[in-house]
Amino acid sequence: MQNPIFKGLTWAKPQSTFISPPFHTLPSLLIVGPIRKLKNNSGNNFKKRSKKEWNHHHRSGSGIRGGKYWAMPCSSIQTSNITCGGGDGGEENGRLRNFKLNESTFLASLMPKKEIGADRFIEAHPHYDGRGALIAIFDSGVDPAAAGLQLTSDGKPKILDVIDCTGSGDVDTSKVVKADGDGRIRGASGASLVVNSSWKNPSGEWHVGYKLVYELFTDTLTSRLKKERKKKWDEKNQEEIAKAVMHLDEFDQKHTKVEDPKLKRAREDLQNRIDILRKQADSYDDKGPVIDAVVWHDGEVWRVALDTQSLEDDPKCGKLADFVPLTNYRIERKYGVFSKLDACTFVVNVYDEGNILSIVTDSSPHGTHVAGIATAFHPQEPLLNGVAPGAQLISCKIGDSRLGSMETGTGLTRALIAAVEHKCDLINMSYGEPTLLPDYGRFVDLVNEVVNKHRLIFVSSAGNSGPALSTVGAPGGTSSSIIGVGAYVSPAMAAGAHSVVEPPSEGLEYTWSSRGPTADGDFGVCISAPGGAVAPVPTWTLQGRMLMNGTSMASPSACGGIALLISAMKAEGISVSPYSVRKALENTSVPVGGLPEDKLTTGQGLMQVDKAYEYIQKSRDFSCVWYQIKINQSGKSTPTSRGIYLREATACQQSTEWAVQVDPKFHEDASKLEELVTFEECIELHSSDNAVVRAPEYLLLTHNGRTFNIIVDPTNLSDGLHYYEVYGIDCKAPWRGPLFRIPITITKPKAVMNRPPIISFSRMSFLPGHIERRYIEVPLGANWVEATMRTSGFDTSRRFFVDTVQICPLRRPIKWESVVTFSSPTAKSFAFPVVGGQTMELAIAQFWSSGMGSHETTIVDFEIVFHGIGVNRTEVVLDGSEAPIRIEAEALLASEKLAPTAVLNKIRVPYRPTEAKLCTLPTNRDKLPSGKQILALTLIYNFKLEDGAEVKPHIPLLNNRIYDTKFESQFYMISDTNKRVHAMGDCYPNSSKLPKGDYTLQLYLRHDNVQYLEKMKQLVLFLERNLEEKDVVRLNLFSEPDGPVMGNGTFKSSVLVPGKKESFYLSPPNKDRLPKNCSQGSVLLGAISHGKLSYAEEGKNPQKNPVPYQISYVVPPNKTDEDKGKGSSSACTKPIAERLEEEVRDAKIKVFGSLKQDTDEDRSEWKKLAQDLKSEYPKYTPLLVKILEGLLSRSNIGDKIHHYEEVIGAANEVVDSIDRDQLAKFFSLKSDPEDEDAEKNKKKMETTRDQLAEALYQKGLALAEIESVKGEKASALAASEGTKDLDQTGDSAVGFDIRSDLFEENFKELTKWVDLKSSKYGTLSVLRERRCGRLGTALKVLNDMIQDDGEPPKKKLYELKLSLLDDIGWSHLSTYERQWMHVHFPPSLPLF
């Protein structure tokens, strides 16, 4: 979000970065993560934006988060004992005095393990280092060539499988070819490929496909390659420019005076060559090399080979035949590298009987880094080992490369399928976003099945949206089946990894780590783990390791620690259950912070592997049970929650009674007789404060569960945050700790009683990491805030996070945030929207490392002024009529200036699908663990743009939800008539710039329930585009209902006084001001605002004013054509018989024009009918035009010369049938536009002229083709006889005088009638220049045609361009254009 105070008073929406670290200390650290950048939309809900891969943004003054990255090179180090760092209870949660680093403790701080007791555990149990544990890494992909990810500590393969679950690397290899006698096949790109004769292929069938290699690379890698390739390309281009300049200089020296027309044209040609080369350097846009893929079955497995010659500088490298064939990674665990230039590792997997090839690369370094934290093994550098060096893993890529590493529903579902198929023990997922509903959605349902039925332990990051409460995201912080992990930083990490001058005296949670509770009162954060590390990254980064921090790093740290526990449990024969492991973690964690409410920040605390292991050993004979908690306020059946969250003022003013249902849940394979029937526990219930929360003392719990009531009395509490728990202890084994916990969070807000409504918080003291929370009951009627923050009492700069959060039902948390840096004591102002009547948390935090070493307390004064204008219409819909809308406004709090302004600046056009295709997906990667096969529905929408525009698809039912939706997946592609894909996206669509033309949008939906998909077959989709500034409609405001018609009574502004309402009328737009091509049923969208910031100028853009509301205008039917239906002024005078004869003639010609000529018999019949019609209607131009069109439509031409001679003959007949003198005479005179008969005659003559021009044009093309074919035959003959090549330069191109040339005569005749530089007829100009040897001029004309042609690119023009470049000898340009041919004209659409 752009804060108004920093960005030209823009009333905008805050960005929030999730999962990847939002911010880091000075000096800068590497921040990497496959995050969703989030911002508030008009409803203040979070939504995804495209991400910058690698440099993820931290919050700054404008609300944007960003950072640099540092790397640490590999080095040889010696192992020594780590004597500091901290995390277990004996060391007071990382408390360190007189802290001093040495080499070993520094290196240990880069991969923190001591904090969670992992080092102590492995030292005591060397063989429980993760051996036997298998982790699925749901992330951006893991590089199998990265340092430390080849072998486990006991010599086993580290990575067992690498899968692209997104489909972003899929290649269509359904095309099958066979090799010729020389062992050559035709690749899908059109290249001729030599197959290695040693490759076994019993069937002889080769599946072929191709891929633009940049589609497999990250933006960072692509950018690096583009720079390096551009440098080499520029060198070649400069060589050609130097040659061209030299040729021009030689010409000028030879011809001092250039007066002869031929010499002028020759010099112009040389100059054109120079100009073309220079322009090409300016317009260079590298779309990347094309790689051919070949798939075959060798009798045992599917094999894959790639041809990567286009990536190599040496033409001998990268050949298909030299490629060492790969197979599915899990079979042989082998990988390849595209080239030395990119250093990018890839693996392959083959699906659907060879018809789909998946080329797997990572979509960011994030996944490899995460995997390294959890499991890396460095035998020479043990201090840099991951937490569980003995564990194995599978890589499940859920970050889609097409979307800049954003996750999709398809990727998430396939990853869960793979994790179950591989019998994984653990899942780590460092992805997520805010959610509409906690513990809800399709993905959560599938996760519940995986955890409860298949016993996988799911670990995920809680999010990076802190420090405010209720900022945990889905799925990690909001799902009951997932262990959500917060990010902790120890003194050792601060000193070593973060290089702060003076580390904190004890460990603490990172400022940006997301906090609980969830919207329904659950903890949100389960446990905490170290949130930063130096870990391996992919080889394409050209370095071994990087430093990253975030809850993305805390999650794999915890996951690695759990892998150690699983290793021990398996070795000791203890049943592995996510229920028992979670209980052990929660009940043995070390608290971070001394206040009860710190649990909302850190969960149960910093996990301790060794203590959890002891707990598991001791409780091995107890049933594996998860205690499901469902809470309802007494007397209400809905909503059901997992905790008690009293946030609003009314809830804190009285005692409430709550019904708590505790249901013991067993795994699906639990024995009914041995476990369920015998389960019975005597539970002693405890309240952390009986004065506020009262509960029964005991509870007898059986398998069927029990309900009990608790009473919460917050009436005597002070304003602010209060946290309590009710927890159950096993009476017979109290050492087990709480079996279940019921969190009770109370945020008692402070009321704003004074008027005008101002609230101040004075003299708040801050040290590094300190957070002040204030809870305010936003006055009813307030809808925006103007706040001022003043700082004092410090010397070095200070950085603060300022967050506000409000929670409303069925909405994502309404969050505003800013990061403010104070270089000296000063004041800064903010403005942001609020919801009246709802509690607002104000969280102010001094960043954890800001000001360390200065020992000065920062004093902060914060003042909030509430403003509000209430209106009777928060969403205005203009129905298309001329009637204005009455809007009533009032100020409930204080006097406000009413200065409404309204604009319509977007148009949204509805479409229904023209086609719907439902199919069952064929591969096992789309078969759910339950056995159900996933179905796919593809909806086809067609649309046309009359002008270029930025277009964004909008599907109200599906957009802006990925986790909190019951639908599985969506993906769209927008392609032109050439099948070029211009845009693609998922549930968070982006605007894409499209040139004018016809387009197809394919929407791809997935689910295993066919009934859901059937209901979507007529799904309405909107295309939304921004109007150009000239088309933006500014709506008028009036004080009278007839103002829009009469034009008087304009309303401008007024001052609202509390207790008195005022009204005005909003006028619909003038129909003449509507944008062109604005069809009936379309909706114009915009915004209306009513107030203004007190310190800002009055703005005409509602989006820059406080609290804009959406306004929409439904486009009515177009006005009727006044001339429509009027009869012709001149009646037809022809006799009926003559008119009937003409109708019969025209019908015959129409049928003749529709005849096919697919076979020789068809062509023979067509030719006979053409002769008969010509005999019947001699010299009838429309008939002769149809004959010419029929000849041109033929395919599979055998004798080309004979065919083109037929075309020339047909064209001559068209030309001869037209009286050219009469036509020329007509166009030399002006016709009267008021004379209807004259206008009709004009249209007729224009049609005749167009027919004449088309015939001359086609005749010229045919003459050129005959010339070309004869030239090829002559060249072939000369070559076979060993003679010299024919001279094909200058005016003697084909050995005859151009003055008597039929082509030249035809060209001159065509020049009389049309502009031969136009895109329609320019090809003839190109061919003429080419015949004369002026290839530079020919290329210039062709480039101008391509540039001026507004339609989608025409393949014939680009093929002609390639042949000209080959003739000139500019190989670097022809290679460049051939790569673009695959972009402009792909043979088919890509796979979803």
Side-chain angles (χ1 to χ4, degrees), residues 638-651:
T638 59
T640 298
S641 62
R642 296 171 294 165
I644 298 174
Y645 196 2
L646 303 182
R647 187 176 173 94
E648 305 307 325
T650 53

Side-chain angles (χ1 to χ4, degrees), residues 491-770:
M493 293 168 62
H498 292 271
S499 300
V500 298
V501 174
E502 182 177 322
S505 61
E506 60 183 14
L508 72 161
E509 208 80 355
Y510 281 101
T511 309
W512 37 255
S513 188
S514 289
R515 270 71 171 175
T518 62
D520 68 339
D522 201 14
F523 284 101
V525 182
C526 177
I527 55 173
S528 291
V534 168
V537 287
T539 56
W540 60 261
T541 63
L542 306 184
Q543 55 194 95
R545 301 182 181 89
M546 287 182 183
L547 175 61
M548 309 184 197
N549 58 177
T551 53
S552 280
M553 285 65 247
S555 181
S557 178
C559 186
I562 298 171
L564 301 180
L565 297 176
I566 291 174
S567 181
M569 294 171 77
K570 287 188 173 183
E572 297 181 8
I574 301 174
S575 176
V576 176
S577 165
Y579 305 158
S580 57
V581 169
R582 180 170 187 156
K583 194 61 58 192
L585 291 171
E586 291 176 339
N587 286 339
T588 59
S589 293
V590 175
V592 179
L595 300 174
E597 55 265 29
D598 287 332
K599 282 193 174 185
L600 299 175
T601 294
T602 65
Q604 301 308 316
L606 188 63
M607 69 176 288
Q608 300 297 301
V609 176
D610 49 349
K611 300 292 189 290
Y613 167 66
E614 294 170 4
Y615 184 98
I616 288 170
Q617 280 187 315
K618 196 172 181 180
S619 58
R620 64 187 299 168
D621 295 328
F622 286 88
S623 297
C624 298
V625 180
W626 166 54
Y627 299 85
Q628 184 182 54
I629 305 295
K630 292 182 180 179
I631 305 173
N632 295 94
Q633 189 170 352
S634 295
K636 294 183 179 180
S637 58
T638 59
T640 298
S641 62
R642 296 171 294 165
I644 298 174
Y645 196 2
L646 303 182
R647 187 176 173 94
E648 305 307 325
T650 53
C652 299
Q653 293 170 359
Q654 60 186 6
S655 295
T656 50
E657 187 174 8
W658 301 81
V660 180
Q661 173 75 23
V662 181
D663 288 316
K665 296 294 181 182
F666 293 78
H667 290 292
E668 288 190 20
D669 58 358
S671 169
K672 289 183 172 58
L673 285 175
E674 295 179 7
E675 295 185 70
L676 273 60
V677 172
T678 60
F679 178 80
E680 186 173 284
E681 289 180 333
C682 176
I683 304 294
E684 183 179 356
L685 295 174
H686 295 263
S687 168
S688 58
D689 189 339
N690 284 313
V692 179
V693 181
R694 288 182 292 152
E697 293 184 0
Y698 289 93
L699 184 75
L700 184 64
L701 190 62
T702 63
H703 165 250
N704 289 323
R706 283 293 302 276
T707 299
F708 63 92
N709 287 5
I710 61 175
I711 295 174
V712 181
D713 182 7
T715 54
N716 295 321
L717 295 176
S718 60
D719 295 339
L721 172 63
H722 306 273
Y723 176 80
Y724 307 95
E725 279 185 8
V726 171
Y727 53 94
I729 300 291
D730 186 346
C731 300
K732 297 178 181 179
W735 59 265
R736 295 174 67 192
L739 302 182
F740 57 84
R741 293 177 173 89
I742 301 161
I744 298 115
T745 307
I746 302 171
T747 56
K748 195 167 186 178
K750 184 178 182 65
V752 183
M753 305 304 296
N754 52 319
R755 293 293 182 270
I758 300 175
I759 189 167
S760 299
F761 304 104
S762 303
R763 309 263 334 147
M764 293 183 287
S765 299
F766 287 87
L767 290 170
H770 180 67

